[in-house]
Amino acid sequence: MANKNLQFKTNYAVSSKIEPFYKGGKVQISKDEKYIFCTCGSRVNVLEISTGKIVHYVEHDDQEDITSFALSCDDELLVTASRALLLKQWDWRQANCTRSWKAIHTIPVASMTFDSTSTLLATGGCDATIKVWDVVKQYCTHNLKGSSGVVHLVQFHPDISRLLLFSSSLDCGIRLWDLRSSQCVCILQSHYSAVTSLSFSGDGGTMVSSGRDKICTVWDLKSHQAKRTVPVYEAVEGVVLLPEKTDLSQIGVKSKNMHFITAGSKGVLRVWEASTARCVYTQTLPSTLTPSSEEDEEEDNPRSVTYLFHLPASSRLATVTAEHNILFYQLPSLTTHQQFVGYSDEVLDVKFLGKEDSHIVVATNSCQLKVFQLLTNSCQILYGHTDTVLTLDVFKKGSLFASCAKDRSVCVWQMDSDSGEVRCVAQGSSHTNAVGSISCSRMKASFVVTGSQDCTVKVWDLPAEFPGAEIHQLSPRTTEKAHDKDVNSVAVSPNDKLLASGSQDRTAKLWSLTGDGNLGLLGVFRGHRRGIWSVCFSPVDQVLASSSADGTTKLWSLQDFSCLKTFEGHDASVLKVIFVSRGTQLLTSGSDGLVKLWTIKTNECVKTLDAHQDKVWGLHASRKDDKMVTGSADSNISVWVDVTEVELAEEQAKQEDQILKQQELSNLLHEKKYLKALGLAISLDQPHTVLTVIKAIRQVEDGSELLEKTLLKLRVDQKESLLRYCVVWNTNARNCLDAQACLQVLLTNLAPEELLQYQGARTYLEGLIPYTERHMERIGRLLQASMFLNYMWQKMRVAGASCGMKQDEEMDTTPLTQTQPLFFMDKEKVKGSSDERGDEGDGGDGGQQEEPYSHVEDEEEADEVSASKKASTNGAREKNRSTKTNGHHQSESEESSEEEELEDDHAMQVMKNVLVSSAPQCRTLS
């Protein structure tokens, strides 16, 4: 029986996320060694090394991918190049674009670099040209032609007084350009494949180049000759000359001769003596598997290095691997100092790990396992499998876990409780196909069960302890042909006496785990229409849950194997199911990207969490049942916490804070402190409240001048919010004047370049156009009608002059102004006359004459509204979002069109009444 005091879960909230920040491309580390700059699609992300968090990013407005970027040597300027052939200069700390100009290249820029003074920028294009830019005076200084194909490498000589630029392109030569004469001085020919990096000695007289032709060349820059060619037996991506006056004896540097370090396809760092071409040190990485051959090691090696950096201030080396991992090594020992995972590809499984669930272990579309510390996002990368790891399971204590992979093997891993380091302690391989499911014993760490695509289930016994550094070899206790198709899931019961298996053959089976090691079939669960993805035992009741590709989750009785309940709600396959709330609720995840919370007793879905954009393969609850973690094919990992009374109290506190701010706002308006009031209203993110402040400012004496002074004193982010609000206000005829007043201040006092830097500015401005045109047309119609009335009034006075005026009196032809009332009319009489005209309009001549014109006007009005709606739909999606967040604005927009029509009709009706009532008098006078 469930505990009566048990409180059902009602909601989960995301507490932290682990998202991709680097998907390949250029990486650069700041001069102060505090930040990593790396590309991620249309962004350049700035990662703080000390915390592992993304602290800044810059992004092009056109959403075009960034092809290259460069950070100046003083860490102040960041320049990016996109596929749109634009170069943008950024104040990256404020994410503010300070300048934008055309790259002049005819096709995208492939490489960029600054000189040591941070004044010259060189760009190498795919069009085989090199441009040199003076970023201070803002003009192109050189246009260097002569390269062969894509210029993938440009680098200034560290001694700027020499004014030398090095470049490399598809012909594999290194071109040396003299910037004084804009001529290519010479071409250094040594490599037969792409040149990947250059490194200069301290005096600038020697250079080392590396290439994918598996050689490094030492160059004398005075004679422009190769001093030494060093075969390194791997495709080299990075080379660094080691400092001469540092004790590096731990890595084989025992002489004063020049040494350099290389990194490439083998994924290890190696130290070479330049004079003898001898490798004096090779880095040893922890590994549980030995590759079959050197060729296999280099081909598709996840450890292969793509970038190598020397960080002299902290005496470290940094590498970037082919799997987008960034690793820091401490000199001179080359011990791993930090690791960051830039991109995890598809997340296939994720589990909590360690004391108090302080870590998570993640299986991605890779042969590596990743262990993240949730507090700092620091990561350990575990090597042991040779093919993609498919799934994981954790033992009860949380420090021991098991994994299985496509390489047909199973590995057991142990985390050190003090250091947090994880190592492989056991390994077994006996399946004949990929191992896609694994389950650990629940009582104590005595065995694991695996299910495979070879349709078998195996039980593996574990030793009582794992002493020493040797890896224990596992052998299966028993093997059972369990299903006719792939075994997708296995689960061990809480008492370790039962085993459940789910298969692609649409059935789940219950097995007995006897002491002699044999598996006995107890029963078969039939009812799913498609393959079963997951099975799970209840922690308290004798029931089994299963989820299937048919979009349903079912509960089964372990006694008679009948289906007790069916949960339907996912639109696609249900990939995982687990019990929470002591077995009274279920959590399911599907290929629709949703996570659903179900209450078993009522058979209803309590909450649907829009967790991810793709299949949610990983779903696990913590041992305390107070949080869960999800991993998806969209490469994101989310940690969720149960929304308890604490969160509800925090929400209530926020609401009380909102009330206090509203009261403070009222006080500020009363005290006429409009700037503070406007800033407070914008901080509340309530457009209607901001509009109230704007109206209050415009109502005072010299309101226009006061409004301008107030708006110009706002911060940039506040001006961005105000521009967004103006789009909403402008949709309503009642508020359009306030919106236009604010827009006039912004558009007349801010430069267009500054306005376009606002996030979403283009969308906002496009959204203003259709409604502004509509307001102008309405005002134009009213102006034309008033001019016609003015004309008729003058004619009426002229017609009456012959009868009523003396001959010596002159007619007053002064045009009517606002100070001269056009006419005086009783509202009740106007209403009565309009009613009479309405009755006469059905059969009278006047109605027949007026009806066609009014019909045309109605059609024009209908066409106008339709066109404006279409324009606002296509051109102002961002405006619609902000409108949706304030629910009453949409209805206000609809009301505004009705109000405009009523106002226009009323004005026209008044004019008609005046003319009709005056017509008999005119005839009499005439």
Side-chain angles (χ1 to χ4, degrees), residues 197-237:
S197 68
L198 306 175
S199 183
F200 297 88
S201 61
D203 59 5
T206 304
M207 179 182 75
V208 178
S209 62
S210 65
R212 296 189 182 127
D213 52 4
K214 303 185 179 182
I215 65 170
C216 289
T217 304
V218 183
W219 301 90
D220 184 351
L221 294 181
K222 293 181 180 179
S223 63
H224 300 157
Q225 298 295 320
K227 296 168 60 177
R228 189 83 181 185
T229 299
V230 181
V232 294
Y233 310 107
E234 70 170 330
V236 182
E237 297 293 336

Side-chain angles (χ1 to χ4, degrees), residues 492-512:
V492 177
S493 64
N495 60 4
D496 284 350
K497 294 183 179 180
L498 298 174
L499 171 70
S501 61
S503 170
Q504 199 67 25
D505 64 7
R506 307 179 185 180
T507 66
K509 294 185 178 181
L510 185 67
W511 309 81
S512 63

Side-chain angles (χ1 to χ4, degrees), residues 730-749:
N730 197 51
T731 62
N732 193 323
R734 205 182 313 169
N735 304 324
C736 67
L737 294 179
D738 301 291
Q740 294 294 331
C742 295
L743 288 171
Q744 182 183 9
V745 174
L746 296 177
L747 295 177
T748 55
N749 291 277

Side-chain angles (χ1 to χ4, degrees), residues 219-284:
W219 301 90
D220 184 351
L221 294 181
K222 293 181 180 179
S223 63
H224 300 157
Q225 298 295 320
K227 296 168 60 177
R228 189 83 181 185
T229 299
V230 181
V232 294
Y233 310 107
E234 70 170 330
V236 182
E237 297 293 336
V239 61
V240 168
L241 275 167
L242 292 174
E244 298 176 358
K245 298 181 180 180
T246 306
D247 181 12
L248 300 174
S249 57
Q250 292 187 44
I251 54 175
V253 180
K254 298 180 180 179
S255 67
K256 295 184 179 180
N257 296 331
M258 181 181 292
H259 290 74
F260 59 88
I261 190 165
T262 62
S265 58
K266 290 186 177 181
V268 295
L269 300 177
R270 295 193 290 174
V271 180
W272 302 81
E273 188 174 19
S275 59
T276 62
R278 182 170 60 93
C279 180
V280 297
Y281 178 82
T282 300
Q283 181 188 25
T284 302

Side-chain angles (χ1 to χ4, degrees), residues 31 72-77 93 116-118:
K31 193 78 172 181
S72 61
C73 294
D74 59 6
D75 295 340
E76 293 300 322
L77 299 180
R93 290 181 176 87
S116 57
T117 66
S118 302

Side-chain angles (χ1 to χ4, degrees), residues 848-860:
Q848 293 176 357
Q849 292 175 358
E850 292 173 2
E851 188 175 355
Y853 292 95
S854 100
H855 178 67
V856 171
E857 290 177 357
D858 291 342
E859 287 185 346
E860 291 176 352

